[in-house]
Amino acid sequence: MRKNRNVGIVGVGQSVFSSHREEVNQPEMIHEAVVEALQMAGITMADVDCVVHGNMELFEMVHQPDLWHTIGTGAWGKETLRITTGGTTGATLVAAADHLVASGLHDIVLAIGFEKLQEGHTTGGITNMADPLWGRQLQTGALTGMTAAAIIDEFGAERARKAAMTYRILMDKHAMKNEKAHRRLGLEFDQADELAVNSPALVGELRMIHMCSQSDGACAMIFASEETAKQLCPQPAWIRDHITVHREEMFCIFGNAPVLSTHRYAAQKLFARNGITDPLSQIDVFEMYDPSSWWGIDWLREFLMLEGDAHIRMVENHDIAIEGKFPVNPSGGVIASNPIGATAMVRVAEAALQIMGKAGQHQVPKPVNQAMASGFGGTMWTVLFLLTRDIPAMG
Amino acid sequence: MDTTYADSFIVEGKLSLPYQYFAGRTGSKFIISLRDSKKILGVRCNTCNKVFVPPRSTCERCFADLTQSWVELKDTGVVTGFTVIRYEEPHQPVKPPYILGMILLDGADTPFPHIVKGVPISQMKTGLRVKAVFAKKTTSTIRDIDHFLVDESQKIEIGYTYDELEIGMAATFTKTITETDVYLFAGISGDFNPMHLNEEFAKKTPFGTRIAHGALPQCLIAPVLGMKMPGLGTVALEITTRFRAPTYFGDTITARAEVVEKIEAKRWVRMALTWTNQHGKLVAEGAALVIPPTPLS
Ligand SMILES: [Zn+2]
């Protein structure tokens, strides 16, 4: 991607994520994240040129929520933009903020992703809008057991189920290190067999324990031009590149013919133009949008362009643990916290915190020079980010 | 291009999306105060000195924390804007038509919407003073204030203004003249002419019995001009009367005024006057020149 100038992430703020935030209304919850991000960046709202605001449209049944939310976002009197691209909204917000600063339109941009899923009717919205008998080239809803079935087909039931539970428990162990995470269950590996049987079944082999939560929460990030970022922050997280890929239909319209996933396609393009030939060694941490343990496993293979059972072995060997060879989701990931409009932004925000060395208890115990973050949404949308510790070369 | 297509197939869909939202700590305190103490709370921004109602936890202008600066507001205020809801939907708080006003409470800087009652829709206007009427039964919502009632004392009625008057508009007042009226009028005016008071004297006059003072039926035009046409606030400049027949005790007199001329240069109005009795006989006729009421500020 050709850039006019570099953009650095200089502030990250997150509200506490929870199944319901009854003590705050929407703008108040957003305000928590905004204040934290401003504090980290060492600026006030007066320094912010533009506010980018996003959530899932109508998930909270508020028309044009950005107007009401001005009370908490600080957007009064500022340029603002509202973005809603489904599950990828959070990552698209980051992409938009990057464009706004890189283009030279603004020096400092605040992006806010939020969701108060407890107040709306998420599944009613995304599942019931599809017409089951009339494809409308539209498949909605995140609850699907197809990936589980495919992994079981390929690797056998026992190995597949065990890998899914290992992935799940590793993510929970990460969430336990993240005080803001929603679901922190304190799972142990010896509970795997029992959970794999006793957790309520959702669809096929997809069980409640595998699935992400519905959360209330907000994330705010502050983006600055290279010059400004250097003044504000000793170590910004630099946006090296990002890519957005989507396809209209969820599955291959020609039936079961092999299909190139948007994840793999995005990774191929992004790696090629950034000289990444060995992602496992060139990327230090990956914050992946993992709506369920099954997708988590499968998508490792896609994003890292792995073949055979390499992705399963990564899970079995705990390579993806925070202290492992290739840490994935030290924050606990989407399985732990899923305020949808914020979720994909939290991936980039957490990757940025790892670069900045500000991830606290869940900072990975090794130098983080390059981090990757992904966003996912229906039907098949992928947004993939590369962040670096060093200022990217202008090309 | 012809865009009609008679065979177009329609796929029906329906979404039913119930929802709820948290008022939060600040919003909840506002509701609890309405419910438990019938008090309307707001918050003051100590930086920009604005008072927000309903309360919010931050000032979006200066980003100050407002959660600790509560103020109690009066239950009175002024309507700064309004609309009339005439269509009916299940989610509406009351049956249409009703008035939804923006109420700026005394001491507040931000108006908020609520239902306004106590004024006909046709006479609703901004600037009316209102007072909160609390609901008899709590619902733990903003409807613990049931509505805002327009303050009666400020309703200043006036008659037809010059611009509202049209040629041909008319009004009447009718009253039966009794012996008591005549005696009282004699006292008021000092006119103790025996024609009005002494039956034996009156028998010898051309009328053969007592008659009322001419000015007594004549003054029945005053309630017409002053209270009906043009009405409240009218100033009479000139009234001329030609008496045509006597008024006997027990006669029922109808005084009538009709707009006959609008004098644009002065914004005065000329009225034709008649007085008739119960037999339709013309008792008197005349004219009046009046200044119609002007809108009060
Ligand atoms: Zn203020």
Side-chain angles (χ1 to χ4, degrees):
Chain A
M1 187 155 54
R2 219 171 44 197
K3 280 196 177 193
N4 182 46
R5 56 178 178 174
N6 273 313
V7 178
I9 297 161
V10 295
V12 167
Q14 296 174 57
S15 74
V16 170
F17 302 131
S18 167
S19 60
H20 55 293
R21 291 291 313 274
E22 63 201 13
E23 83 284 26
V24 285
N25 65 15
Q26 291 171 27
E28 289 166 344
M29 185 183 73
I30 287 167
H31 189 250
E32 288 178 12
V34 171
V35 167
E36 194 175 282
L38 290 171
Q39 272 169 1
M40 186 185 285
I43 59 172
T44 68
M45 271 316 292
D47 302 310
V48 174
D49 303 317
C50 174
V51 176
V52 188
H53 175 286
N55 73 314
M56 291 283 272
E57 196 145 58
L58 287 178
F59 268 22
E60 285 81 16
M61 308 302 279
V62 181
H63 177 53
Q64 297 185 325
D66 49 322
L67 301 183
W68 174 29
H69 293 179
T70 299
I71 297 169
T73 62
W76 185 80
K78 303 204 182 284
E79 296 220 17
T80 103
L81 198 61
R82 183 163 70 98
I83 283 174
T84 169
T85 60
T88 50
T89 293
T92 309
L93 285 162
V94 179
D98 178 50
H99 292 322
L100 287 165
V101 177
S103 65
L105 278 174
H106 297 294
D107 287 333
I108 299 184
V109 171
L110 167 68
I112 299 158
F114 95 98
E115 213 76 64
K116 267 196 119 192
L117 291 175
Q118 200 277 339
E119 299 186 356
H121 202 288
T122 311
T123 298
I126 59 178
T127 302
N128 296 338
M129 275 189 274
D131 185 333
L133 301 180
W134 186 275
R136 227 174 18 144
Q137 295 293 53
L138 172 71
Q139 194 273 352
T140 56
L143 293 171
T144 159
M146 291 188 64
T147 305
I151 296 175
I152 287 170
D153 264 1
E154 192 174 349
F155 301 103
E158 195 187 335
R159 192 179 181 201
R161 286 194 188 118
K162 197 162 186 319
M165 281 312 302
T166 303
Y167 184 94
R168 178 66 189 89
I169 293 168
L170 281 170
M171 289 307 122
D172 187 60
K173 288 192 174 294
H174 293 175
M176 292 300 286
K177 295 175 187 290
N178 178 2
E179 285 189 344
K180 290 190 169 166
H182 166 189
R183 289 199 301 184
R184 304 165 78 226
L185 304 173
L187 300 178
E188 292 299 340
F189 288 109
D190 60 12
Q191 291 174 267
D193 293 344
E194 186 251 318
L195 282 169
V197 183
N198 289 338
S199 173
L202 296 174
V203 184
E205 285 290 331
L206 178 73
R207 291 178 180 273
M208 189 81 96
I209 190 67
H210 298 128
M211 195 62 202
C212 62
S213 61
Q214 284 200 126
S215 311
D216 288 2
C219 181
M221 293 174 77
I222 295 168
F223 302 82
S225 63
E226 179 176 329
E227 198 179 326
T228 315
K230 280 177 179 164
Q231 285 165 13
L232 289 173
C233 186
Q235 179 57 66
W238 300 103
I239 297 176
R240 183 175 182 191
D241 200 357
H242 54 92
I243 186 169
T244 296
V245 174
H246 53 94
R247 56 184 297 146
E248 193 174 0
E249 87 280 17
M250 181 76 171
F251 308 107
C252 180
I253 57 169
F254 301 111
N256 284 331
V259 56
L260 177 62
S261 80
T262 52
H263 290 342
R264 189 175 285 255
Y265 183 84
Q268 275 173 3
K269 297 271 270 192
L270 194 68
F271 293 168
R273 69 192 191 200
N274 289 282
I276 294 176
T277 50
D278 180 11
L280 287 174
S281 68
Q282 287 173 276
I283 293 165
D284 300 306
V285 62
F286 180 23
E287 270 287 338
M288 178 172 65
Y289 196 115
D290 56 343
S292 78
S293 319
W294 293 105
W295 272 350
I297 297 172
D298 189 53
W299 292 0
L300 283 175
R301 176 154 71 170
E302 298 305 300
F303 281 121
L304 302 173
M305 299 199 295
L306 303 173
E307 302 297 337
D309 69 348
H311 59 304
I312 304 279
R313 280 187 280 116
M314 277 181 74
V315 175
E316 288 169 343
N317 297 337
H318 294 197
D319 288 349
I320 61 167
I322 190 166
E323 65 282 358
K325 281 189 215 158
F326 187 82
V328 173
N329 292 356
S331 64
V334 182
I335 294 178
S337 315
N338 184 31
I340 299 181
T343 303
M345 179 185 265
V346 173
R347 307 283 68 75
V348 190
E350 285 288 347
L353 289 173
Q354 293 291 345
I355 298 258
M356 296 161 97
K358 291 189 173 173
Q361 292 291 305
H362 59 285
Q363 179 73 42
V364 300
K366 66 170 183 182
V368 179
N369 293 314
Q370 179 148 253
M372 185 160 75
S374 73
F376 166 75
T379 48
M380 275 309 276
W381 282 62
T382 302
V383 182
L384 197 56
F385 268 86
L386 276 181
L387 308 182
T388 54
R389 191 176 168 80
D390 294 333
I391 298 175
M394 295 293 292
Chain B
M1 192 179 85
D2 184 10
T3 60
T4 56
Y5 179 52
D7 288 335
S8 182
F9 178 68
I10 294 168
V11 182
E12 298 287 350
K14 187 183 179 183
L15 283 179
S16 172
L17 296 174
Y19 71 102
Q20 53 181 203
Y21 57 86
F22 289 123
R25 278 195 204 96
T26 304
S28 297
K29 184 166 173 172
F30 172 71
I31 296 289
I32 290 165
S33 165
L34 287 181
R35 184 192 67 193
D36 296 348
S37 22
K38 296 196 190 317
K39 282 184 176 146
I40 306 171
L41 297 182
V43 285
R44 181 193 304 280
C45 174
N46 292 320
T47 314
C48 66
N49 215 29
K50 293 258 185 294
V51 172
F52 296 95
V53 186
R56 55 187 57 190
S57 54
T58 42
C59 173
E60 79 265 27
R61 305 289 168 102
C62 33
F63 239 42
D65 179 1
L66 309 182
T67 55
Q68 303 306 318
S69 46
W70 292 87
V71 288
E72 188 186 327
L73 291 136
K74 296 209 178 82
D75 61 357
T76 53
V78 65
V79 179
T80 61
F82 71 93
T83 187
V84 179
I85 312 294
R86 298 179 191 276
Y87 71 101
E88 193 163 355
E89 284 288 343
H91 67 264
Q92 286 165 345
V94 292
K95 201 172 160 55
Y98 62 94
I99 299 165
L100 206 52
M102 292 302 289
I103 316 291
L104 183 65
L105 289 180
D106 295 329
D109 290 296
T110 55
F112 68 100
H114 216 298
I115 298 158
V116 176
K117 290 186 179 174
V119 61
I121 283 172
S122 62
Q123 289 176 39
M124 182 62 198
K125 57 184 178 184
T126 57
L128 289 182
R129 302 250 343 134
V130 290
K131 185 175 167 64
V133 176
F134 285 86
K136 289 193 176 70
K137 248 173 104 173
T138 179
T139 49
S140 297
T141 67
I142 189 92
R143 286 301 305 285
D144 278 8
I145 300 172
D146 188 77
H147 61 272
F148 280 85
L149 189 66
V150 172
D151 180 358
E152 287 290 321
S153 67
Q154 67 187 318
K155 274 199 220 159
I156 300 169
E157 288 179 50
I158 62 166
Y160 295 102
T161 61
Y162 180 86
D163 294 321
E164 291 168 333
L165 288 167
E166 289 170 31
I167 307 291
M169 285 171 72
T172 62
F173 176 72
T174 301
K175 186 178 184 298
T176 302
I177 305 295
T178 66
E179 186 175 1
T180 308
D181 293 328
V182 174
Y183 275 80
L184 287 172
F185 195 80
I188 291 163
S189 63
D191 178 359
F192 295 98
N193 185 337
M195 285 178 73
H196 309 310
L197 306 173
N198 183 334
E199 183 59 24
E200 293 309 312
F201 178 92
K203 278 178 183 170
K204 295 172 182 126
T205 67
F207 304 112
T209 185
R210 284 173 292 171
I211 60 168
H213 304 77
L216 180 49
Q218 187 209 22
C219 74
L220 297 185
I221 202 65
V224 179
L225 298 177
M227 296 176 70
K228 290 186 167 179
M229 184 61 63
L232 305 179
T234 299
V235 177
L237 295 169
E238 178 187 305
I239 296 176
T240 58
T241 313
R242 173 84 165 87
F243 295 106
R244 296 289 185 190
T247 297
Y248 297 102
F249 292 13
D251 276 2
T252 298
I253 304 298
T254 296
R256 182 176 187 275
E258 179 181 332
V259 179
V260 291
E261 187 188 354
K262 291 180 76 177
I263 304 163
E264 187 63 38
K266 297 269 193 184
R267 294 177 73 79
W268 294 348
V269 173
R270 197 175 302 280
M271 319 278 296
L273 312 178
T274 58
W275 289 262
T276 49
N277 66 18
Q278 67 276 21
H279 306 300
K281 188 176 168 63
L282 189 68
V283 172
E285 60 187 331
L289 188 63
V290 300
I291 307 174
T294 47
L296 304 171
S297 54

